[in-house]
Each structure stands twice: as structure tokens, then as C-alpha cells.
Amino acid sequence: MKLLSSVRGDVIGGLVSAAVAIPLAMGYGMFAFAALGDDYFASGALAGLATACVVAIICVLLGDRTTTVYAPRVTSTFFLGLLIYGLVHSDMPTIVAGGIPLILAITFSVVLLAGAMEALFGLVKLGTLIKFAPHPVMAGFQDAAAALLFLVQLGNVCGFDRSVPFTQVHQHLASVKPLSLAIAAVTFVAMWNARKLLPKVPPIIVGMGAGCILYYVGILAGLGAYLGPAVAGGPRTAIALTELPYLADLARAGDLAALLPTMVGGAIALAIIASIDALLCAKLVTAPDEPRRDGDRLLVRLGLGNVAASCVGGITSGINIGPSVANRAFGARTALSVLVNAAALLVAAAFLFRWLGEIPRVVLSAVIMVIAVQHFDLWSLQLVGRLRRGPPAHRLNVALDLAVVVVVAVLSITLNIVLAVFIGVALAVVLFVFRMSRSLVRRTYRCSGIHSRTSRTAPEREFLERTGDSILVLELQGALFFGTGEKMLSDIEIALRHQTSCVILDMRRLTEIDSTGANILLELKSSLGSRQKPLLLAAPERSVARERLENFGALRSSVEANMFPDVDRAIESAEDELLRSQPLLYRKEIFLQDVGLFRDFSNADLAAIDQHFLRTSYQSTSVVFSEGDPGNQLFVVTKGAASAYMQTPNGNIRLTTFVPGTMFGELALLDRGARSATVVADEELICYVLTTSNFAALSAQFPNLAIRLLAAVGSELSGRLRTANRTIHQLET
């Protein structure tokens, strides 16, 4: 029963997706062969159907087990359309002498070679690399394809009896048929709003149905002369069943060597475009419950499918998003649906084309116009709006991307389609090098206002606010290699003109470091060391930066000693070095009367308070208390250091570090709630501990002292908050 249900879903999905794919395949085929004239209009539609059928069968035979539907695509069809247009208008003697048969031979050869190259891309595992193709290039190409695809339909929408190039439409305004325009408008609006009108029916079927009904109602009303021809209306020159006769014409060409640059260059450009388009579409049509597709295998299957399609007079194919979505939406779950789709296309091309050829050109063109509008690249259109917003550096990047989009689009239409692709890629490479050559320093700041999370005494905080400006921190972002590394060294040299005691590199945002980048870090450490300025590196344990430095052997003992898991630890180390330069501030152990918490207490007061504190020591790594423990003790550190950690699903997060002269656990005197963090001794730790029971005894015996002690705790907390506020302000500006 389950098997029967699955087969029924595949059959229904395959038939519905075929109903969606047939007009698309016909329309794209007509677009590709439009430059050949009216005689090849119907033949182009047949070529589109043959392509979709053959590629689908080949892909399934080569192991595709998904519900993906294949058919000609906008970008590859656009490429072929402009290629054929250029050949038709070429003044090369060989092409002029060979005529349309030679043009078709060149076209099918380009499709065949491009398919072979696409398969080769997959075999040599270039699928992953192709995914990094510059988006502005593809966006410009896609926008040009969408614009030209839209404009080419104007002649059919106007109802002209013969094919009229869109550049000449203004010369034939007297021949425009208003009823044809009206049908086109109804078809466009119906398809555009189909989701609202009939949400369960594919939009293309809604648009085609509305347009065809209106057209043939007009025919029955005797208005055929005012409506324009059908797809197969007028003369028709059939294309041979295979490309072999055309290859014979190519072999007889007088100067085959002169044609090779066009054929090979066109094949390479078409293979690149078709591969990028296929990989992008594969990502879009993959359902959430489907495994990720192997891009290399996809290119092999599609490439061999396109080779087979070229052999039967077809054009380049790709993944058809609309029919693929419809296929799955109507119940398809296996590759059987793709074979049903291919069978329906085969029947349509072999037996039903005499009726499919009666589809009105105006209706098919209006449908293609909707698809053209939907194919404009949204990202490139948003660039225009973003050009007016954001900081100058951001607007410069946007302007450069937009320039590539415009250049590729204009060159594709006005110059040479093959040349436009390679110029676009070259432009993108130049832009990449330009951007990579800029400084990788994301931000530079000094530590007079930004401090580590280490809890300091009031005198220490005041000292660090005066002297912390000598600690220089550079946040790095991007890839560290020769060009960016040299620029970083220049930026650091400029920053060192200001008094600097230590340089910290925050490398957590580095995406790559090559061997020259690692050597540049060693060179920087040596240069700073000669000037008595330590270099501290901050990189998480499993970060790219740390892994690359280990791989290149750059983490020598001297470098590894100055490597910290985060920038906070690095700043803490630099602050400790500053404090060590002040003997009065930095001592291994201090007395209770030297703690800032008790600076306003007299010796008599301290003597009374000291009776209620317990001197306690902890070994390194000992847990002072754990998160969730009852809060019943206040700790005053007089020697060593301890850090507070919070547990998270991804590990422990260090919140702060307590050093001599600071306190922790003070909330025990205020709310006696559970501990909010775990405190661990970083080294041998000595604390004076005040329990809540001893504080109660102090309150009963010396109430004034207890109140003053609470006030001192509050003052210490407010000092920490002010420091935290200044740090947050510095980080946000």
C-alpha cells in the first residue's frame, strides 16, 4: 500500500512538473534560436523539449535519485542566444559562406564541448572551487539575461506576424495589435497573482490557461487577425534529429582553425556559467529532509547529459527550480517522478507538438516575461539602495560590486558574451586582490578605558587608567598573508609612535594564515623584542590562527609563552606587567589593613573586625566554591589569584579574576542566595573569610562597624560598575 502510494505520488508529481516544464523548455528554446528568424521558431521550441527529456534520463541513469527536474536555464540560454546572434551577424568569410547550417554546427559543438568540460570540472573535483565564483559577475550576467529575455518577448507581445527584434519595435508601432497587448497583460497579471488566486495550482499553468482561453475566445469571435500567430505559425525549417549532419558541415568549413577560438572560448565560458548555475540551483531545490548533494557528481551527470542533448540537436540544460518544487509539492519522492516527467516531455515533443505548436506566442512570451522579472538578481538590485547608506568604506565596497555587475551586464549585451564572462572574472579577481591588500586591522584601541576582567583594587584601577594607554590592542580580521601582513606591520609602526609598553594581537577573527603570514608574526616579535616591547597573541585553542601557527612551526617556546586563549587574558598579563613596575601596588601578599575595602577603618576598628575573619589558604586549582552552592561567606584575597567561571553547554566561561586586595562572594552578606559562578584558585591562594554567622556576631557586638562594612562593600561594587560601564562605552565606540 505504501509502495502504491509512493508510485502514485511520483506519477502525479512527474505529470504536473511536466506541465510546468513544457512551456518553459519551449520558451527558452525559442529564445536561444530567435536570431535565426521565424523559420527556426518552432524548431527552437522542440530543441528545448528534447534537451529537458534527454538530460533528465541521462542524470537518472547516472545515479541521480532525487526528484530534481532538468530543463534549459535562463543564464545558459541567454549565453547561447547571444552566441548565435553574434554568429548570424558575423562578417567572417567562413561563417558567411557556411550560413545557418554552419552556425548550428558551431552552436552544437559549443554545447557538446561545454558539457564535456562541465563533466571534467566534476571529475577533477572543481565543484567546491566553482562555488567561490564571484557573485557580482554572476549577478551582472543574470541581470543581463533577465533584461534581454524580457525585451526579446516584446515583438510577440505586440502581436507582430513575423519576428521583429526588440531594437526595431519602435519602427513598427503602427503594426502593434492592442488585443494582443491586452492578452499579454492578463496573462502576466494572472501568473503574477496566481498564488493568491489559486494557491494549489502552479502559477505558470494559471497564466497559460488564462491567456490561451482569452486568445481562442478571440479566434472564435473572428478576431484572429488582431491577435498574432501561434508558436508553430508560419514557415518552419526542421532541425536534423542529430547534430551529425552539421558536424559534417563543420568539417567541410574552409578555415576550421579560425573557428576554434570561438568554439573553445565559448565552451569554456558556457561550462563555467552552467556549472555555477547548477550548483546554486541544487542548493535551492534541496528539501530539508534530503541529504546535501555532491556538487562534483552533479556536474558530471549534468555535463554528460548536455553532451547527449547536443547530439540530438539540444541546448545546454540545468536544474529547473519551478518544476522541481512542483514535482515534490505534488507528491514525488523518488527518481521515478523524473522519468515520468521525461516521458511526458518525449510524448509532447514527438506526438503532441502539432497541438503544443498552437500555443499563442503572445501567451508564451508573457509567461516568459514574468519569469524574466523573477530572475533579476535581488542582491544586485539592493546594492543601489545600499549605495546611499552606511559609512564611506562600506559605500566604496558596494560601488565596486555594483560596477562589476553593470560592466558584465553591459558587455554581455553590447560587446561579446564570451569576452564578457572572462572580463567579469578578471574584474572580480582584481577586486579580490584589492580588498585583500587592504589592512586586516579591524580595530585598534588602547587599554586606558578598556581593562581585563580581573578584579583590581581601587589604587590599581586608578593606576591602570593612567598608564593603560601604553597597552596597544589590534583586532585582526581576514586572511594574514604577505600583502596584508606587510600592511599590518606598517599600521603597527605608526601606532608605536605613541608610547607603547606592549602590543596585543587579537587573532580570533583571522580566517587564514599562510607561511609568509606566520613568518611576519615572528619578524614582528623579534622587532618588538629588540625594543623591549612584548608581543602577546590571543587565539582560542581550536582557532584557525593557532592551528596554522602550529602547522608552520611558529609556536616556538618563546612565542607559545605569549599565546593566550582570549584577548582578556592577554590584557590581564599586560596589566600585571605594568603593576609589577610599581612595588607599592604589586606585592605577593598584603595585610588586611592594606585592602581597599578597609581603607576608612582605624586600627581599632580593624582589630575588632579581624576577630571575625578566618585566614584560609587554597592550593592551586582548588575549588573555593561551586556554582549553586549556598552563599554564606565573603572572601578577601591577600595572596595569589582566583578566577570565577560560569558553566555553559559549550564549556566554562571565565567571568573575572580576583587578585590581592579584592573581594568576592560579597553577595552572601546581602541576599544569601546560591552562588552564581564557580571560583577556582589559579595559584596558591590566601583569603580572609567572613561567614554570615560571624557577620551576625559582628553586627550584634559592633553594629556601627557592620553598617560601615556593608557601605564599604557597596562602594567597592559601585567602583567595579563604573569601570565596566567605561569598558562597554569604549567597546561600542
Side-chain angles (χ1 to χ4, degrees), residues 449-613:
I450 297 177
H451 303 293
S452 70
R453 291 194 291 265
T454 301
S455 182
R456 307 284 187 185
T457 64
E460 288 174 341
R461 291 198 298 269
E462 293 173 1
F463 174 76
L464 291 175
E465 286 173 5
R466 293 195 309 270
T467 62
D469 198 50
S470 64
I471 301 174
L472 173 65
V473 180
L474 294 92
E475 292 182 0
L476 307 183
Q477 179 173 283
L480 176 58
F481 59 97
F482 178 74
T484 56
E486 290 296 323
K487 185 67 170 61
M488 179 191 71
L489 293 180
S490 299
D491 292 340
I492 292 176
E493 286 299 326
I494 294 173
L496 289 179
R497 296 173 184 173
H498 186 283
Q499 182 180 357
T500 301
S501 62
C502 176
V503 176
I504 300 174
L505 298 183
D506 183 358
M507 303 193 299
R508 57 184 162 166
R509 294 184 179 86
L510 285 183
T511 57
E512 188 57 74
I513 300 178
D514 69 356
S515 58
T516 56
N519 289 329
I520 284 173
L521 290 178
L522 294 176
E523 176 188 337
L524 176 61
K525 175 176 172 48
S526 175
S527 173
L528 292 174
S530 65
R531 290 178 275 185
Q532 305 301 313
K533 302 180 191 297
L535 172 66
L536 308 184
L537 307 178
E541 289 292 339
R542 298 180 181 178
S543 64
V544 171
R546 189 180 286 262
E547 290 178 0
R548 294 295 183 271
L549 292 178
E550 288 177 351
N551 293 338
F552 292 125
L555 286 185
R556 303 167 187 166
S557 57
S558 59
V559 176
E560 195 165 12
N562 289 339
M563 176 75 78
F564 298 87
D566 54 58
V567 70
D568 180 72
R569 300 289 182 93
I571 294 176
E572 176 191 9
S573 176
E575 290 174 343
D576 288 343
E577 284 300 315
L578 286 178
L579 292 172
R580 287 190 182 94
S581 66
Q582 301 295 313
L584 295 178
L585 291 176
Y586 191 88
R587 286 175 288 175
K588 288 188 176 181
E589 183 173 3
I590 63 176
F591 300 106
L592 196 61
Q593 59 264 32
D594 296 327
V595 175
L597 181 67
F598 304 114
R599 61 179 175 272
D600 295 329
F601 290 79
S602 65
N603 290 334
D605 294 335
L606 287 172
I609 291 174
D610 186 61
Q611 300 174 17
H612 298 83
F613 276 84

Side-chain angles (χ1 to χ4, degrees), residues 32-377:
F33 288 178
L36 298 177
D38 287 350
D39 290 357
Y40 290 87
F41 212 75
S43 298
L46 269 175
L49 291 173
T51 299
C53 175
V54 170
V55 173
I57 293 173
I58 294 297
C59 286
V60 173
L61 291 178
L62 292 178
D64 186 4
R65 296 296 177 261
T66 68
T67 57
T68 303
V69 177
Y70 301 92
R73 290 282 300 157
V74 169
T75 49
S76 56
T77 303
F78 166 68
F79 181 95
L80 289 173
L82 287 187
L83 178 68
I84 293 175
Y85 180 86
L87 294 173
V88 168
H89 294 84
S90 173
D91 55 2
M92 185 182 296
T94 303
I95 295 177
V96 173
I100 290 181
L102 181 59
I103 291 173
L104 288 173
I106 295 172
T107 301
F108 294 140
S109 298
V110 168
V111 174
L112 187 148
L113 289 174
M117 290 178 183
E118 190 175 5
L120 182 62
F121 291 163
L123 288 174
V124 298
K125 307 296 183 182
L126 285 180
T128 303
L129 181 62
I130 291 174
K131 290 179 182 178
F132 292 97
H135 186 69
V137 175
M138 285 305 296
F141 194 75
Q142 184 171 327
D143 288 339
L148 196 60
L149 184 63
F150 185 93
L151 294 173
V152 165
Q153 312 308 319
L154 290 178
N156 292 331
V157 166
C158 291
F160 297 141
D161 293 325
R162 60 181 181 83
S163 179
V164 175
F166 71 89
T167 55
Q168 299 177 15
V169 168
H170 66 282
Q171 301 174 7
H172 299 80
L173 295 180
S175 302
V176 172
K177 298 174 180 177
L179 283 180
S180 182
L181 291 176
I183 292 176
V186 170
T187 303
F188 191 101
V189 172
M191 182 173 173
W192 191 266
N193 296 282
R195 296 294 184 192
K196 301 176 184 177
L197 301 174
L198 297 169
K200 294 185 178 181
V201 181
I204 192 171
I205 295 179
V206 174
M208 291 286 295
C212 288
I213 289 172
L214 278 179
Y215 181 88
Y216 281 104
V217 167
I219 293 290
L220 293 175
L223 301 175
Y226 305 98
L227 296 176
V231 169
R236 173 187 171 190
T237 300
I239 295 180
L241 182 60
T242 71
E243 70 168 1
L244 298 180
Y246 301 107
L247 293 182
D249 290 335
L250 186 63
R252 289 193 296 269
D255 190 4
L256 183 59
L259 301 176
L260 285 178
T262 299
M263 295 166 56
V264 175
I268 294 173
L270 180 58
I272 293 173
I273 292 168
S275 299
I276 296 173
D277 182 71
L279 294 172
L280 291 175
C281 291
K283 184 176 181 181
L284 293 175
V285 301
T286 301
D289 58 338
E290 288 183 339
R292 291 185 62 184
R293 307 191 184 201
D294 187 322
D296 295 315
R297 291 184 180 179
L298 172 64
L299 294 183
V300 171
R301 287 194 291 262
L302 264 177
L304 295 179
N306 286 326
V307 169
S310 70
C311 293
V312 296
I315 57 179
T316 301
S317 182
I319 294 176
N320 206 329
I321 297 176
S324 297
V325 173
N327 191 26
R328 192 168 182 85
F330 281 85
R333 292 296 179 267
T334 71
L336 175 62
S337 62
V338 182
L339 294 177
V340 172
N341 175 282
L345 291 170
L346 179 61
V347 170
F351 305 107
L352 302 180
F353 191 75
R354 66 174 66 182
W355 292 285
L356 291 175
E358 297 303 318
I359 294 176
R361 293 187 187 182
V362 59
V363 174
L364 190 55
S365 288
V367 166
I368 298 298
M369 279 183 161
V370 175
I371 295 171
V373 172
Q374 294 172 341
H375 272 80
F376 276 103
D377 184 72

